Amino acid sequence: RDFCLSRGLGDVYKRQVVNQLHDAGCKAAFWTVNTEDVVRSLVPLGPDCFVTDRPDVIREWIEKAQAET
């Protein structure tokens, strides 16, 4: 199965889809994650990876967001 998550989906729905993907043995990826605010909103959902145009700072943003949760 292929899944595509839209930025327009609510956090509860996204969390449900991420959980379903993980339950099915699939990975959950979000793209194009280019701001710290978006990283902070998505980290609690449990994604496996982010696709970004900001590889220079994404790891720092992820670590900060994980420390906040």
Side-chain angles (χ1 to χ4, degrees):
R1 281 173 145 175
D2 292 330
F3 288 90
C4 178
L5 300 179
S6 167
R7 287 187 201 166
L9 299 175
D11 285 345
V12 171
Y13 180 74
K14 284 188 272 192
R15 184 182 313 271
Q16 290 172 346
V17 172
V18 170
N19 289 341
Q20 289 173 345
L21 287 168
H22 288 159
D23 290 346
C26 298
K27 302 284 185 184
F30 290 88
W31 67 93
T32 304
V33 180
N34 288 328
T35 67
E36 187 173 2
D37 289 343
V38 173
V39 170
R40 274 200 315 268
S41 71
L42 294 176
V43 163
L45 304 180
D48 297 290
C49 73
F50 292 118
V51 177
T52 184
D53 295 321
R54 297 298 313 273
D56 55 323
V57 292
I58 191 82
R59 183 172 305 278
E60 175 186 335
W61 292 344
I62 292 168
E63 290 170 356
K64 282 173 60 177
Q66 288 172 332
E68 293 173 0
T69 57

